Amino acid sequence: MNDSITPNTEGTLSTDGARPVLRFERVLAQPPEAVWRAITDREELKAWFPCDVIADAWKPGAAISFPFAGDRAPTLTGTVLEVDEPRLLAYTWGEETLRFVLTPEPGGRTRLVFTDELDPAAAARNAAGWQVCLARLTGETSADDAWKVFFDRYVAAFEPKLGPQEGPPAGH
């Protein structure tokens, strides 16, 4: 994706439910159908998602696997939970639940609200990673180690509410 309208903004954290939820919002210059392809097409996902995404189908109950390149992490599995093309996609990503809500905006743009319901100890690590990944989705570029700066900020913000935060896997 290219032509992001919203700058690379930080995610927010909600602790109202049973598990914390990270929330990111972006406005992309493309219509919902193009953004839908970016979040469901295996080749387009490779440009921004942190691992490969292999879905049996984009329908509720379908299996998904998430292999990481070079064995950086174990392959995760998931299940498609909700699909309303091109408005809503939700699935499990290992023990987490990812949700993409696409809303048409004036001028052929799309508002993307992305959430990640996750384990409290992973919040800072995932927030930093998703901030970098969503920047790639919107066409922004960042240094390979950009997540480190974001991670430190998220740790400072999240530790008082959630407790100790896990760092990245070894070798990152």
Side-chain angles (χ1 to χ4, degrees):
M1 300 254 66
N2 290 315
D3 304 315
S4 169
I5 302 298
T6 302
N8 189 0
T9 57
E10 293 190 5
T12 58
L13 177 71
S14 170
T15 56
D16 297 338
R19 293 176 15 147
V21 176
L22 295 171
R23 182 183 189 277
F24 291 87
E25 187 170 332
R26 302 287 187 272
V27 176
L28 292 93
Q30 295 78 16
E33 295 76 17
V35 178
W36 182 263
R37 282 190 304 277
I39 66 172
T40 59
D41 180 87
R42 185 175 178 193
E43 291 306 311
E44 290 198 34
L45 281 157
K46 288 178 182 180
W48 70 273
F49 203 80
C51 59
D52 197 2
V53 179
I54 304 168
D56 287 348
W58 291 111
K59 63 180 185 178
I64 312 172
S65 64
F66 304 94
F68 287 82
D71 297 324
R72 292 182 316 168
T75 296
L76 299 175
T77 59
T79 303
V80 177
L81 301 173
E82 297 177 75
V83 178
D84 182 9
E85 183 178 347
R87 293 175 206 81
L88 170 68
L89 178 64
Y91 52 85
T92 58
W93 189 52
E95 299 297 316
E96 302 172 25
T97 299
L98 306 182
R99 178 179 299 275
F100 302 82
V101 177
L102 309 177
T103 307
E105 290 278 312
R109 300 179 297 186
T110 302
R111 179 171 305 277
L112 165 65
V113 175
F114 168 78
T115 59
D116 179 2
E117 181 182 323
L118 70 170
D119 180 69
R125 178 192 66 209
N126 285 23
W130 288 126
Q131 188 162 341
V132 170
C133 289
L134 292 172
R136 289 183 187 136
L137 173 64
T138 61
E140 297 174 38
T141 57
S142 57
D144 289 340
D145 64 350
W147 66 268
K148 291 178 184 179
V149 174
F150 300 136
F151 176 73
D152 291 340
R153 279 193 244 152
Y154 285 119
V155 167
F158 295 170
E159 266 189 345
K161 292 180 182 180
L162 302 177
Q165 294 295 293
E166 298 172 357
H172 283 57

